[in-house]
């Protein structure tokens, strides 16, 4: 970590030639100004309002860094629309962005009058800044995004620390390094999904000539142990990777305590303070509870499910998020009695046409749905592994009350960002008070310039592992390698494993209609029957392919949707194609691979508007 | 008698209504010079269908002295023009008589095709050959519905006498607008598309039984003895692996799981039967005449169809599409046709083949060997030289080594010289004698079944092509076509596996067939693009690819202009199952001098076919490394590995997966 006292400057210095000697890239230099001074004023020497602001800071005896745009020789700075009268408070919540005036003349004076300016300066002011930083970058949260950023930053010889600490669930479940995805998310879920698929494969195999006996059982303990062993090896692998890259890993809970300072608390309660030039918040999310009697005592969440030491038995899944449906899908797939309780719609935010098809398919494969009900009480009838629980639920549109008995109740009603107990208020990082999410710029910077955030805690961004990884890597490259590439949150593909897979990229049909108008979109669609399903005579009109095209833009494909086996694998390449601006014509001229499911997209000819039949004739 | 029959047939079936572009006679805008969208003589030209006044170009190297072969060729092309155009005018652009004739047809609102002899290189030759055909040395030289009208005066006389109108009304003298020979993927696609466009279409399909007597229904190789049964047997092999995996995922059932060949084969044949049925149905729905007979050209526009009972029928058509495909090659050694089977026989074999020798290293050979081993058989592959010729050789070797690890034996650099039957039966016992390709060494082996997969021969030598002068490559037997799938005989086209230098893949044939029909009958101009065609080999670990092999890329672009990114990967599903962690492999080849464009895509791993399709679409859109890097992965899938490729082959860095 570099010594920052030397760059502390007196009022009225000249920008050119001082701090800029080492850094030549203008953007990085600009960032350096902001990062290394608590107050930066971009001004024009002739501007009256600028003078007022300068006077204000002088009267407060606050040193500031001044860059007179009309006097600098740096043409790049001048050419950019920074504008005059922009005040930049380094390390403070109001702030600087080289693209936008976040704080001009008016807001600064107003903040002064209200006293918030003084408070900010005190909180992040020069009097309390560390002399030198322990680290260049401290990352709070060792999940996919945090680890990706840590490893990338370490590549550029930065001194990096990762803080990772898993607060145990109400039932006491905790896990190792790697975050949600590896421990209680994508990885175990996909493996249990695979277990469900293999159950189907065992049934199919008889039709293909394998003489498997009729009686097939499933051993939950064996599966869970195998899954957990794999996860253990990944946890280990991550630690080794951090060590190899010389990233400091501390298994402790991080909380901001002041400007550039963080307090860590390990599981024995031992506290330490570290300082860093920059921070990255990547704390992710944890499952939400209902706030009803018995929920924390008796219910489990996805945090508990994948390492559950006993088979959950008859299970009620509460919620209709993809987590809920995926868990319900694989539990049913390994032979359990599963019911899903849904408040309103399935897979909110996803294409509803697809979501409903998923629901139908799950229903046909034994998952029961209780719609328009919410649990109001969970009682234990009998302790055990699993025990027996009574769930009382209330209709969302009447006074009807129902009761049911289950061995396990799995809550999957959403996830809350872990942002409320990490001392963000101590450094003034703004969160959306309603959902706890952190708003950031398109460069993942919070309102406090030296604090960044990535991953599931970001407001309005997709909550997906590869997004967090991409954002983390690109952020580190921008901060430490002079890159300017930003993370593109558009056309992010994703897949829901229910266990029939639903892959999507781009817009849902609803969203496309909303954005372009119904008359300007053309939807092409088709059912298809995977060849592998024909011999075991599995459902012939379940798999479905749909693309949404913008007619006003040469039928560019703006939405891609597929429900079918291996939809994840199918979708990935098409996501790359969407990135390349795929049009319907290009899709048509792409030659199919025969016989695979994905080839259906090369021959889509029926539009939804036409009402033409898309049913497969079968035999 | 055949011709007389066809005349009544033509009257019985009125031609389809004229397209709207045919303006009412002598009123409204007149469309002239409408030329079928095609080119002659191997030189590129733009589609001219809708440009009034554009002239047909007959370009070929012009010399006044013609060899007899060239003369014959020219005569055929002129014949083609005469036969394929309702009105054909041979003219000179400056000739006032020619202009009068053109004006006459324009005033009648009749589309005509013109060849201006003064504007083509070999105009003199054309005039000479024309005079041989018509005994008329001058231009204009006019043909109406294949009837020679004569020159300007004769045409005007015919107009006055009403003969011209009569000739013009006689729309078509052929039984069909289109006859497709071969009811495989390409032929059916073309036939159905033409029928959708309102044409009268016939499909001739006839399966000559294999030496072992195997034959099958409508649909061609893909459906009956290709992609479909092979992918289903591949699935049977995958399910065998799934059964092994499933125990690791907690499933419990009887320890001894055996495979029953008959159950599998019957299930697959049932599915194929249903497909044959639905193809027949679909042809009927589209009013395509389907005749289960062997087709042979007897005249330029006439074909002889011979059914199973030897009954012969003759049909005529304005245009023909050859889509007869290819059949497995035999070795030409003692005992091969008597005792060996091919892929034509394997998928409906009524008994389990037992210990099998697969001869060849084509994708057919490796796929068959892969699934036979996958259902538990003892399989040996005898390879003459390299695996998967034409494919990326690094990938091919990886495919081979995976197969070897999974129990397939390889005998390299040997070719069989004799197959003897030791014992009859189902299966019997065969002795195979093989000779080294590098020395005098011979080896012997005993197998239950010998499967030959040493290549395929196009079915082009016994369909009367020589009678109408359609050129084939004498060496390969393949048909030479231009980029609109037209043979040297203008009204005869070809699609699918019979084409020289084109990919032998079902979806390629389908695409080519469909687009051909649209160009011929739908006024479209889109050509089939044979570049960046993706494909997948199911061995049973899948190898998917699109674009160039590394060897080909180096040959075209030079090694220094390429960057190859690659990595091994371990599918998540394989981890818990305890399967090989350094087998699956992803590779892309980028052209550094073209913005790091991805020109080759290769993946070896489960579901490679599904993974490859989308990337093929992306390559159609000009995928670059940067765009690939900007694409966000789907976690956890195998496909996501392509979004994070970092290590270049040239760096020599380690790409092995650490495992635990």
């Amino acid at each position: 970590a570099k010594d920052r006292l030397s760059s502390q400057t007196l009022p009225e210095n000249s920008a050119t030639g001082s701090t800029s000697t080492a850094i030549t890239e203008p953007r990085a230099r600009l960032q350096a100004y902001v990062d290394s001074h608590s107050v930066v004023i971009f001004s024009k020497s002739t501007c009256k309002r600028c003078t007022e602001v300068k006077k204000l800071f002088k009267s407060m005896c606050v040193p500031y860094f001044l860059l007179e745009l009309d006097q600098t020789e740096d043409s790049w700075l001048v050419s950019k629309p920074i504008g005059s009268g922009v005040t930049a408070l380094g390390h403070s919540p109001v702030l600087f962005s080289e693209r936008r005036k976040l704080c001009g003349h008016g807001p600064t004076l107003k903040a002064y009058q209200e006293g918030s300016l003084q408070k900010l300066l005190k909180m992040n002011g020069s009097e309390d800044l560390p002399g030198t930083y322990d680290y260049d970058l401290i990352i709070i949260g060792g999940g996919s995004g945090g680890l990706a950023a840590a490893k990338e930053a370490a590549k550029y010889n930065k001194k990096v620390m990762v803080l990772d600490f898993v607060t145990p669930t109400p039932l006491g479940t905790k896990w190792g390094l790697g975050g949600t995805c590896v421990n209680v998310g994508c990885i175990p879920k996909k493996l249990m999904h695979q277990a469900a698929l293999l159950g189907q494969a065992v049934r199919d195999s008889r039709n293909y000539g394998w003489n498997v006996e009729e009686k097939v059982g499933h051993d939950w303990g064996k599966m869970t142990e195998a899954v957990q062993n794999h996860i253990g090896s990944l946890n280990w692998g991550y630690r080794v990777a951090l060590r190899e890259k010389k990233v400091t890993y501390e298994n402790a809970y991080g909380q901001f305590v002041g400007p550039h300072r963080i307090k860590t608390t390990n599981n024995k309660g031992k506290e330490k303070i570290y300082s860093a030039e920059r921070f990255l918040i990547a704390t992710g999310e944890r499952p939400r509870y209902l706030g009803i009697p018995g929920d924390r005592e008796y219910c489990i969440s996805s945090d508990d499910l994948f390492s559950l030491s006993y088979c959950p038995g008859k299970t009620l899944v509460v919620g209709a998020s993809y987590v809920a449906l995926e868990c319900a899908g694989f539990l049913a797939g390994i032979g359990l009695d599963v019911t899903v309780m849904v408040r309103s719609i399935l897979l909110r935010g996803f294409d509803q046409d697809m979501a409903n098809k998923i629901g139908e398919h799950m229903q046909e494969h034994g998952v029961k749905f209780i719609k328009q009900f919410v649990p109001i009480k969970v009682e234990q009838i009998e302790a055990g592994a699993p025990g027996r629980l009574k769930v009382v639920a209330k209709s969302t549109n009447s006074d009807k009350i129902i009761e049911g008995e289950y061995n396990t109740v799995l809550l999957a009603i959403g996830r809350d960002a872990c942002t409320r107990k990490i001392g963000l208020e101590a450094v003034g990082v703004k969160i959306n008070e309603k959902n706890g999410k952190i708003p950031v710029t398109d460069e993942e910077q919070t309102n406090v310039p030296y604090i960044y955030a990535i991953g599931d805690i970001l407001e309005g961004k997709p909550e997906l592992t590869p997004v967090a990884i991409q954002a983390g890597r690109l952020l580190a490259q921008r901060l430490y390698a002079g890159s300017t590439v930003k993370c593109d949150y558009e056309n992010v593909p994703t897949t829901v494993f229910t266990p029939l897979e639903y892959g999507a990229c781009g817009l849902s049909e609803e969203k496309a209609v909303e954005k372009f108008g119904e008359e300007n979109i053309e939807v092409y669609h088709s059912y298809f029957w995977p060849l592998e399903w024909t011999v075991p005579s599995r459902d012939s009109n379940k798999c479905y392919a749909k693309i949404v095209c913008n007619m006003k833009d040469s039928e560019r494909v703006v939405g891609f949707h597929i429900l079918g086996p291996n939809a994840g694998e199918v979708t990935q390449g098409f996501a790359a194609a969407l990135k390349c601006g795929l049009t319907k014509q290009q899709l048509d001229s792409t030659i199919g691979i025969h016989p695979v499911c994905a080839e259906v997209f090369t021959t889509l000819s029926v539009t939804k508007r036409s009402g033409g039949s898309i049913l497969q004739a079968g035999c | 008698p055949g011709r007389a029959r066809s005349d009544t047939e033509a009257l019985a079936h009125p031609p389809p209504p004229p397209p709207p572009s045919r303006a009412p006679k002598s009123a409204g805008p007149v469309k002239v010079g409408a030329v079928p969208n095609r080119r002659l003589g191997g030189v590129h030209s733009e589609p001219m269908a809708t440009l009034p006044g554009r002239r047909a170009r007959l370009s070929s190297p012009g010399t006044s002295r013609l060899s007899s072969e060239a003369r014959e060729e020219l005569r055929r092309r002129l014949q083609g023009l005469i036969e394929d155009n309702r009105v054909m005018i041979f003219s000179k652009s400056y000739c006032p008589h020619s202009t009068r004739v053109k004006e006459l047809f324009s005033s009648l609102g009749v589309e005509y095709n013109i060849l201006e002899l003064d504007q083509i290189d070999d105009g003199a030759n054309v005039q000479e050959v024309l005079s041989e055909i018509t005994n008329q040395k001058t231009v204009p030289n006019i043909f109406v519905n294949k009837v020679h009208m004569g020159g300007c005066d004769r045409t005007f006389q015919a107009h006055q006498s009403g003969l011209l109108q009569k000739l013009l009304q006689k729309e078509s003298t052929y039984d069909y607008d289109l006859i497709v020979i071969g009811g495989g993927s390409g032929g059916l696609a073309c036939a159905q598309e033409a029928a959708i466009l309102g044409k009268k279409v016939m499909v001739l399909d006839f399966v000559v039984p294999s030496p072992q007597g195997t034959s099958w229904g409508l649909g061609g190789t893909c459906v009956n003895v290709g992609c479909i049964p092979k992918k289903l047997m591949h699935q049977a092999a995958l399910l065998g692996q799934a059964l092994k995996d499933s125990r690791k995922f907690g499933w419990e059932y009887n320890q001894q799981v055996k495979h029953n060949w008959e159950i599998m084969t019957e299930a697959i044949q049932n599915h194929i039967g249903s497909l044959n049925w639905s193809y027949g149905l679909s042809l009927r729905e589209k009013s395509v005449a389907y005749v289960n007979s062997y087709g042979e050209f007897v005249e330029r526009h006439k074909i002889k169809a011979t059914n199973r009972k030897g009954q012969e029928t003759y049909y005529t058509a304005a245009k023909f599409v050859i889509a007869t495909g290819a059949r497995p090659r035999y070795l030409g050694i003692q005992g091969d046709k008597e005792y060996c089977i091919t892929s034509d026989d394997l998928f409906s074999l009524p008994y389990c083949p037992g210990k099998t020798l697969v001869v060849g290293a084509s994708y057919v050979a490796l796929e068959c060997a892969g699934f036979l081993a996958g259902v538990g058989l003892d399989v040996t592959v005898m390879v003459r030289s390299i695996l998967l010729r034409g494919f990326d050789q690094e990938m091919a070797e990886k495919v081979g080594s995976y197969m070897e690890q999974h129990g397939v034996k390889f005998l390299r650099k040997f070719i069989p010289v004799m197959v003897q039957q030791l014992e009859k039966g189902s299966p019997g016992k065969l002795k195979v004698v093989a000779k080294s390709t590098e020395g005098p060494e011979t080896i012997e082996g005993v197998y239950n079944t010998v499967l030959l997969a040493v290549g395929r021969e196009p079915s082009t030598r016994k369909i009367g092509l020589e009678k109408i002068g359609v050129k084939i490559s004498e060496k390969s037997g393949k048909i030479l076509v231009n980029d609109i799938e037209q043979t040297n005989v203008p009204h005869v086209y070809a699609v699918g596996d019979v084409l020289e230098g084109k990919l032998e893949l079902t979806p390629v044939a389908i695409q080519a067939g469909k687009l051909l029909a649209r160009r011929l009958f739908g006024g479209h101009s889109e050509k089939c693009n044979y570049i960046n065609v993706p494909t997948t080999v199911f061995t049973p670990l899948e190898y998917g690819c699109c674009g160039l092999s590394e060897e080909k890329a180096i040959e075209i672009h030079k090694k220094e202009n390429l960057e190859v990114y690659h990595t091994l990967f371990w599918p998540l599903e394989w981890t818990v199952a305890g399967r090989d962690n350094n087998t699956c492999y992803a590779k892309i080849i980028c052209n550094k001098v073209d913005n790091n464009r991805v020109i080759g895509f290769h993946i070896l791993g489960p579901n490679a076919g599904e993974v490859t399709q989308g990337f093929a679409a992306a390559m159609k859109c000009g995928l670059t490394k940067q765009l690939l890097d900007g694409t966000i992965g789907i976690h956890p899938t195998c496909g996501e590995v392509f979004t994070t490729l970092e290590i270049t082959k040239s760096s020599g860095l380690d790409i092995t997966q650490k495992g635990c």
Side-chain angles (χ1 to χ4, degrees), chain A residues 181 190 195 208-211 213 217-219 466 470 493 532 566 569 572-573 579 588-589 591-595 597-598, chain B residues 222 231 236 239 249-252 254 258-260 507 511 534 573 607 610 613-614 620 629-630 632-634 636 638-639:
Chain A
C181 167
K190 180 93 189 279
Y208 281 89
W210 296 99
N211 71 333
E213 64 186 358
H218 186 264
D219 181 341
Q470 180 88 332
E532 297 73 19
N566 299 305
E569 302 294 0
Q572 184 69 74
K579 211 36 154 203
D588 290 344
S589 71
I591 287 183
I593 301 176
H594 194 60
C597 293
Chain B
C222 166
K231 180 91 189 283
L239 288 171
F249 282 85
W251 293 99
E252 292 171 333
N254 52 326
K258 289 237 168 59
H259 187 260
N260 182 317
Q511 180 88 334
E573 296 73 18
N607 299 307
E610 303 291 1
Q613 184 70 73
K620 263 279 176 258
D629 290 345
I632 288 184
I634 301 177
C638 294

Side-chain angles (χ1 to χ4, degrees), chain B residues 155-334:
Chain B
T155 305
F156 272 86
Q157 276 166 22
H159 177 50
Q160 269 150 23
S161 72
L163 174 67
L164 179 62
Q165 284 80 346
K166 219 167 155 185
L167 273 174
L168 280 171
Q169 273 160 19
K170 213 170 105 190
E171 273 286 343
S172 175
T173 55
Y174 298 122
D175 302 345
Y176 291 93
D177 295 310
L178 175 69
I179 290 181
V180 176
I181 313 165
S185 313
L188 291 180
C190 185
Q192 299 198 18
E193 194 69 19
I196 289 169
L197 293 166
K199 295 295 155 183
K200 199 180 165 201
V201 184
M202 168 177 271
V203 171
L204 294 173
D205 187 57
F206 188 86
V207 179
V208 178
S210 77
Q212 298 292 322
T214 314
S215 67
W216 50 85
L218 182 62
T221 300
C222 166
V223 175
N224 295 285
V225 290
C227 322
I228 299 295
K230 112 21 218 303
K231 180 91 189 283
L232 289 171
M233 292 201 175
H234 164 70
Q235 176 70 2
L238 292 185
L239 288 171
Q241 180 68 57
L243 288 172
K244 284 178 214 151
D245 289 359
S246 67
R247 296 182 200 278
K248 300 264 174 56
F249 282 85
W251 293 99
E252 292 171 333
Y253 48 89
N254 52 326
Q255 281 303 316
Q256 283 297 313
V257 177
K258 289 237 168 59
H259 187 260
N260 182 317
W261 175 269
E262 290 81 4
I263 289 180
M264 171 181 74
T265 314
E266 194 192 327
I268 291 173
Q269 289 303 320
N270 284 344
H271 178 63
I272 292 174
S274 77
L275 291 176
N276 296 146
W277 171 256
S278 70
Y279 283 130
L281 192 68
S282 160
L283 288 183
R284 210 170 318 137
E285 276 170 5
K286 298 201 170 74
S287 304
V288 174
Y290 160 57
V291 176
N292 185 199
S293 294
Y294 189 89
E296 274 171 285
F297 283 100
V298 288
E299 283 173 27
R300 285 179 59 80
H301 287 272
K302 193 191 254 180
I303 200 155
K304 179 176 84 181
T306 312
N307 72 7
R308 237 175 314 170
K309 292 171 191 152
Q311 288 169 335
E312 294 176 354
T313 317
Y314 293 85
Y315 302 99
T316 60
K319 293 187 168 70
F320 291 86
V321 170
I322 305 167
T324 47
R327 294 292 291 273
R329 186 176 295 152
Y330 280 79
L331 287 163
I333 60 167
Q334 194 189 324

Side-chain angles (χ1 to χ4, degrees), chain A residues 84-163:
Chain A
S84 59
V86 180
T87 311
L89 298 176
H91 326 300
S92 82
V94 249
L95 224 267
F96 161 84
S97 147
E98 74 273 23
R99 289 167 313 283
R100 279 178 290 160
K101 265 201 269 184
L102 287 189
C103 182
H105 166 257
T108 308
L109 293 189
K110 191 166 169 243
Y112 174 68
Q113 278 149 21
E114 287 170 354
S116 60
L117 181 62
Q118 293 84 330
K119 209 171 128 197
L120 273 175
L121 286 168
K122 198 167 175 211
M123 191 149 55
N124 287 300
S126 55
E127 68 249 50
D128 193 29
L129 282 171
T132 56
Y133 298 127
D134 301 328
Y135 289 93
D136 292 306
L137 178 65
I138 290 181
I139 296 167
I140 315 163
S144 315
L147 292 180
K151 287 187 257 183
E152 194 69 19
K155 239 194 220 172
Y156 305 108
N157 296 317
K158 295 294 156 182
K159 202 175 165 199
V160 183
M161 171 182 260
V162 171
L163 298 174

Side-chain angles (χ1 to χ4, degrees), chain A residues 505-508 546-549 556-561 578:
Chain A
C505 185
L507 304 178
S508 67
K546 171 165 95 170
I547 58 166
V548 183
C549 303
R556 201 167 304 286
V557 180
V558 295
F560 174 96
H561 304 271
L578 259 67

